[in-house]
Amino acid sequence: MSSAEVRTEGAERLQKVMAQAGVASRRASEDLIAARRVTVNGKVAKLGDKADPLVDVIHVDGQRIVTDANLVYLAMNKPRGVVSTMADDKGREAVADYIGNITARVYHVGRLDADSEGLLLLTNDGNLAHKLMHPSYEVPKTYLVEVVGPLPRVVGRELMAGVELEDGLARLDDYRLKQAIDKQALIEVVLHEGRNRIVRRMFDHVGFPVQRLVRTAIGPIKLGDLKAGRHRRLNAGEIAALFKITDRKNRAAAQEDVIREAPEVFED
């Protein structure tokens, strides 16, 4: 069976697909289509068009909508001491132990080492997960770093300029001292690197070993007030924001033909 035949068999009225995705009622979806605010696979849709919710890419006002009801997108606050695997052969607490109420088979997007905590994304959308992890997409990640102070200003300048590690130069995209009290300093850092334990190794290099490391954001997704060990489903706007940041990078990467398989790494 050809791909075209598969799409024809799975196609439904566009307004029905939009309504099932929670965009609006069928009537309101028809109005959106008539107003030329909907595209299917990059082309402006018209009344009477059909779409396959499992294949076609639909945007409303430039925002991609998820039409495959089987896809799951989660944010989790990984506690310290929990390993970033779905099962651990050493019997340690793993991510899967905290999402038992999710029946879909989801996978973690990248990792946090056992001593680190904070935001971890989980999904069964393999295409999006690949893009979020691949270095060519340069998805920024934000961390709160706690070290023993006082912390000289030169440390921030050095990390922003770049430090030479055993596997090459590493630099931060942003560095902000958030708090300095007695012998404790709290710094917010942003970087798009995905190398093994990169934040810890950078601070070790400048003589300030990390005491605590919390990832607070991955691209547009924020940890917020999600409690340790808890998870939540991403809302439509958050999912669309992830598609937007990876679609933008995808166009640039495609022009340079640099898309390759990303290695499995610990990102902090």
Side-chain angles (χ1 to χ4, degrees), residues 2-268:
S2 69
S3 59
E5 289 174 329
V6 173
R7 290 182 62 182
T8 299
E9 290 181 359
E12 300 178 284
R13 289 281 185 177
L14 180 55
Q15 60 267 34
K16 179 181 178 181
V17 175
M18 293 170 59
Q20 290 174 335
V23 175
S25 67
R26 290 196 191 186
R27 180 60 184 273
S29 295
E30 289 177 353
D31 293 340
L32 291 170
I33 297 168
R36 298 175 61 83
R37 294 167 60 184
V38 182
T39 64
V40 180
N41 300 327
K43 296 182 179 180
V44 177
K46 60 183 184 299
L47 289 173
D49 282 355
K50 292 185 176 183
D52 185 337
L54 301 181
V55 176
D56 294 317
V57 176
I58 301 172
H59 287 78
V60 178
D61 292 335
Q63 178 173 296
R64 183 169 174 176
I65 63 173
V66 177
T67 54
D68 185 347
N70 296 315
L71 293 179
V72 176
Y73 305 87
L74 305 173
M76 175 185 173
N77 186 348
K78 187 191 85 67
R80 191 170 188 171
V82 174
V83 294
S84 294
T85 59
M86 302 311 292
D88 184 63
D89 55 9
K90 297 180 180 179
R92 295 172 296 181
E93 278 194 306
V95 169
D97 296 324
Y98 290 82
I99 57 168
N101 62 329
I102 301 297
T103 57
R105 189 177 183 183
V106 297
Y107 301 91
H108 48 83
V109 179
R111 299 187 179 201
L112 286 170
D113 69 31
D115 290 332
S116 300
E117 55 196 287
L119 182 61
L120 195 64
L121 299 182
L122 301 103
T123 184
N124 56 356
D125 186 336
N127 185 46
L128 179 62
H130 169 80
K131 293 177 180 179
L132 291 172
M133 289 188 291
H134 199 283
S136 69
Y137 289 87
E138 298 183 347
V139 177
K141 303 170 186 69
T142 305
Y143 299 86
L144 284 178
V145 183
E146 183 179 310
V147 300
V148 175
L151 195 64
R153 291 185 179 181
V154 68
V155 169
R157 293 195 292 268
E158 188 174 354
L159 292 172
M160 289 287 289
V163 294
E164 193 66 43
L165 304 179
E166 63 272 17
D167 53 355
L169 187 69
R171 63 166 56 91
L172 297 178
D173 298 330
D174 195 19
Y175 172 101
R176 297 182 184 182
L177 180 63
K178 303 288 287 185
Q179 181 177 290
I181 301 176
D182 297 328
K183 294 184 178 181
Q184 185 247 24
L186 188 65
I187 312 103
E188 181 181 79
V189 303
V190 180
L191 75 168
H192 61 266
E193 289 259 15
R195 280 182 275 169
N196 183 27
R197 299 172 65 89
I198 188 68
V199 175
R200 293 183 182 277
R201 290 193 290 133
M202 290 178 73
F203 275 85
D204 280 345
H205 184 87
V206 295
F208 288 87
V210 173
Q211 304 297 306
R212 186 185 181 195
L213 185 64
V214 183
R215 184 158 64 194
T216 58
I218 299 175
I221 309 303
K222 311 296 183 184
L223 179 63
D225 58 1
L226 187 63
K227 294 182 179 179
R230 303 295 295 273
H231 66 270
R232 65 175 180 84
R233 291 181 181 267
L234 300 186
N235 61 44
E238 290 175 317
I239 298 169
L242 286 176
F243 280 122
K244 184 175 183 179
I245 192 172
T246 55
D247 284 347
R248 184 173 66 248
K249 293 293 184 181
N250 183 47
R251 288 192 293 271
Q255 291 174 355
E256 300 176 4
D257 193 27
V258 296
I259 301 300
R260 297 182 298 274
E261 189 65 28
E264 181 76 13
V265 295
F266 288 89
E267 295 182 320
D268 59 341

